[in-house]
Each structure stands twice: as structure tokens, then as C-alpha cells.
Amino acid sequence: MTSSVLDLAPVVPVVVLEDAADAVPLARALVAGGLPAIEVTLRTAAALDAIRAIAAEVPDAVVGAGTVISARNVSDTVAAGARFLVSPGWTDALLDAMKASGVPFLPGVSTTSEVVALLERGVTEMKFFPAEAAGGTAYLKALSAPLPQARFCPTGGISLASAPSYLALPNVGCVGGSWMVPADAVSAGDWARVERLAAEAAALRD
């Protein structure tokens, strides 16, 4: 795996799974479409089993855990096979746990002060969340001049249409989004549609 989550693919699918049985076929469809980094959010009871299944059965996927908000989340997801961690925000305790985990992590920020505080602690890669609500591309562009060492994965409200304007920014490595994993396609098991949408998203870097 590349040393940075931000460089794996232009888009990291943000996946919410109600049924762990969907995890493996969904991950295979995303990988086939060209999106190997997959963030499974801890918003459902199925999340840990989903991470476990993808880690065990889809070797080409780089499965990560999203909505990580506690030290317990960190230990549980890494034990399940998560290869990166993403949080919507951070505290000192959460940051310490993520640093100690041994896997790459993206702590969430939405203000300049949070970015500076992370830089002070030696963290240069972050999630910008909720991207659209927190100021979008204009905000990130404004951050790039005083804080060029900070790199971001903006997530929250981003679509296929808006992703290119984020990816064009010098301080954005990738974006997070869920438009390539629509709930109706997942519930119907329409993996061909997921693969098609993933391929469209993967082509954004070309």
C-alpha cells in the first residue's frame, strides 16, 4: 500500500452497509471499477463484520473504517482488518489512539485552528468535513496559501459533478463520496451499476 491514503484513488467511496453479506460483492465491484480504497462507516451494526469480510476476501481492496470517534472504535476496527481510519473530527485522546494504531489515519477538521493544531502534532493529512457545509472549495483554496503542508480528503455533500473542482486544488489528494454506492443499487445487489459508477469516479484523475 502507498504510504498515503490520499494517493490510492481520486475518490474514496464512503460506504454505509446495513447487511454485512453485501460487503464482499460491493467491494469487488468498487475494486473492479478502479476504486480500491473503501471507507466502511461505523454507522451500522454490520460495519465491523463488513470490514472483516472485505479484509479477508477481497485482497485488492484497501478497507478502512470511517466515523471513528473513540479509542474503542480504533482498536475494534484495526482488529477487524481496517487498513486506514477516518474520523469526522478529533480530540487529543482519539488522535493518540489513531497514532498508536500503526495504520494511516485521517482526522476530521473543519476550521483553520483544527488544521494548525494537527500540524503542531505532526499530522499533515486530514479529512475536511463536512466539506460543502464547511465552505467547500473556496475554503480549501484559502487554506492552501498559509498552510500548504496540509493535505485533505474533503468529504460531505460531494458529487460526481463537484468532485473535479476539489481534485483540481493543490492541497486535495482525493475526495470522499457515496454517489457511486447508491442505497437502491446496494439493496438490489446491482453490482454492475456500482462498478460502472466507480469507473466513472476513478476516471476523474485521468
Side-chain angles (χ1 to χ4, degrees):
M1 172 178 161
T2 165
S3 57
S4 170
V5 180
L6 300 184
D7 299 324
L8 287 168
V11 181
V12 175
V14 178
V15 174
V16 180
L17 283 169
E18 301 296 339
D19 185 349
D22 292 328
V24 168
L26 177 67
R28 286 185 178 139
L30 290 169
V31 169
L35 301 181
I38 302 167
E39 176 188 332
V40 177
T41 69
L42 299 182
R43 295 179 205 173
T44 65
L48 279 176
D49 284 336
I51 290 169
R52 218 171 269 122
I54 295 170
E57 297 181 51
V58 192
D60 293 333
V62 180
V63 65
T67 324
V68 172
I69 56 170
S70 68
R72 175 72 186 270
N73 287 164
V74 172
S75 54
D76 285 352
T77 54
V78 172
R83 291 169 62 187
F84 65 93
L85 306 169
V86 185
S87 69
W90 65 276
T91 63
D92 287 326
L94 180 57
L95 190 66
D96 288 346
M98 290 198 292
K99 276 187 156 182
S101 72
V103 301
F105 57 91
L106 297 172
V109 296
S110 60
T111 68
T112 311
S113 295
E114 290 169 321
V115 176
V116 172
L118 284 175
L119 291 173
E120 213 175 60
R121 289 162 173 76
V123 177
T124 58
E125 299 190 339
M126 314 164 194
K127 169 179 174 166
F128 179 60
F129 177 82
E132 288 285 284
T137 53
Y139 194 96
L140 285 168
K141 194 174 182 180
L143 284 183
S144 67
L147 303 168
Q149 64 274 55
R151 290 180 77 215
F152 301 95
C153 173
T155 306
I158 298 175
S159 65
L160 180 66
S162 63
S165 56
Y166 281 95
L167 292 166
L169 296 173
N171 55 351
V172 169
C174 63
V175 299
S178 51
W179 74 85
M180 75 300 299
V181 284
D184 59 337
V186 175
S187 59
D190 190 350
W191 311 123
R193 183 177 163 207
V194 171
E195 182 178 341
R196 194 168 62 248
L197 292 168
E200 228 176 17
L204 290 173
R205 175 135 306 156
D206 296 342

